[in-house]
């Protein structure tokens, strides 16, 4: 059984999708053992408490450098024997050293079809604002492994979502969550924990 840590900063909708999947028996060979928030006021912490999942708060501004923050996070994860880290709306960029230490053991969900609308500065509603400004007809979500390059790790899975003529960033964000993010992320986590994912350079293959 692989212990999973979910890192959050806000409302925790993707955390809830993982909790729901776990309670439905859809996370094979894995369990959420810890929720870590960079924000002490994140509603995600309430979701964790309601589900009986231990949580901790690590604020970036309380550490002198990204490496110091990464070291503290690493110590916490080692204490809980964490085998998989899931970024679910986590707004703190992890240090290169931390990413290398957990190579191919950190999964992120991004609300676009990478390589579109990704990288530094593209998060939350900004992604959907950019998609609408560009006039794309299809957007979606991507689950990928995390590397030192923001949104640059190997892609695990993607799902397309159509853009509607009357969409706002908020309506598009909601549709991408419901139709793509909440489906892709639990499946990718389950596939990882069950040993179905292999990484070959920039490609991820599912057994």
């Amino acid at each position: 059984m692989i212990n999973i840590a979910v890192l959050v900063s806000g409302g925790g909708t993707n955390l809830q999708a993982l909790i729901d999947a776990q309670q439905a028996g859809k996370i094979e060979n894995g369990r959420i053992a810890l929720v870590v928030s960079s924000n002490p006021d994140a509603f995600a912490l309430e979701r964790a408490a309601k589900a009986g999942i231990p949580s901790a708060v690590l604020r970036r501004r309380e550490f002198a450098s990204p490496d110091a923050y990464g070291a503290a996070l690493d110590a916490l994860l080692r204490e809980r024997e964490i085998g998989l880290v899931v970024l679910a709306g986590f707004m703190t960029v992890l240090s290169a050293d931390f990413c290398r230490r957990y190579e191919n053991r950190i999964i992120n969900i991004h609300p676009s079809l990478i390589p579109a609308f990704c990288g530094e500065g593209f998060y939350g509603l900004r992604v959907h604002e950019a998609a609408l400004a560009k006039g794309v007809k299809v957007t979606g979500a991507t689950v990928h492994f995390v590397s030192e390059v923001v949104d640059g790790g190997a892609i695990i899975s993607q799902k397309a979502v159509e853009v509607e003529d009357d969409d706002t960033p908020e309506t598009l964000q909601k549709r991408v969550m419901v139709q793509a993010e909440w489906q892709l992320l639990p499946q990718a986590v389950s596939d990882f924990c069950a040993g179905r994912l292999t990484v070959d350079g920039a490609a991820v293959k599912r057994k």
Side-chain angles (χ1 to χ4, degrees):
M1 183 69 69
I2 291 179
N3 289 329
I4 304 163
V6 183
L7 276 53
V8 298
S9 296
T13 53
N14 278 309
L15 168 63
Q16 190 63 55
L18 290 170
I19 291 172
D20 292 345
Q22 176 172 283
Q23 292 177 343
K26 295 180 179 179
I27 304 295
E28 187 178 342
N29 196 45
R31 69 181 184 97
I32 305 171
L34 178 67
V35 171
V36 181
S37 178
S38 62
N39 171 15
D41 299 319
F43 184 70
L45 292 170
E46 295 188 32
R47 296 181 188 272
K50 185 177 180 180
I53 300 169
S55 63
V57 175
L58 281 181
R59 305 177 77 175
R60 169 64 184 85
R61 69 185 186 186
E62 294 177 356
F63 295 86
S65 67
D67 284 340
Y69 184 85
L73 178 58
D74 178 45
L76 179 60
L77 299 181
R78 288 177 182 273
E79 179 184 325
R80 302 300 177 97
E81 299 182 328
I82 298 299
L84 173 65
V85 179
V86 180
L87 310 186
F90 189 61
M91 303 304 293
T92 298
V93 177
L94 296 169
S95 69
D97 180 67
F98 182 89
C99 292
R100 286 191 293 267
R101 197 174 305 167
Y102 285 82
E103 184 179 12
N104 297 332
R105 289 191 292 149
I106 312 173
I107 288 176
N108 182 51
I109 180 80
H110 183 76
S112 78
L113 295 174
I114 292 175
F117 314 116
C118 67
E120 290 193 31
F122 283 100
Y123 59 87
L125 280 177
R126 291 186 180 186
V127 177
H128 306 293
E129 290 168 351
L132 292 175
K134 187 64 176 178
V136 298
K137 306 307 178 187
V138 176
T139 185
T142 302
V143 178
H144 64 94
F145 283 113
V146 172
S147 68
E148 303 98 295
V149 179
V150 177
D151 296 330
I155 292 173
I156 298 170
S157 58
Q158 293 181 300
K159 192 173 190 296
V161 174
E162 290 190 8
V163 178
E164 298 181 359
D165 291 340
D166 60 350
D167 264 328
T168 64
E170 291 79 8
T171 61
L172 185 56
Q173 179 185 53
K174 180 66 174 181
R175 191 179 316 108
V176 169
M177 285 181 180
V178 173
Q179 295 184 12
E181 294 181 44
W182 297 347
Q183 298 177 32
L184 291 178
L185 187 57
Q187 184 62 59
V189 168
S190 184
D191 286 342
F192 178 94
C193 293
R196 287 190 288 266
L197 300 180
T198 58
V199 183
D200 182 9
V204 178
K205 298 178 181 179
R206 184 177 184 273
K207 296 178 184 178

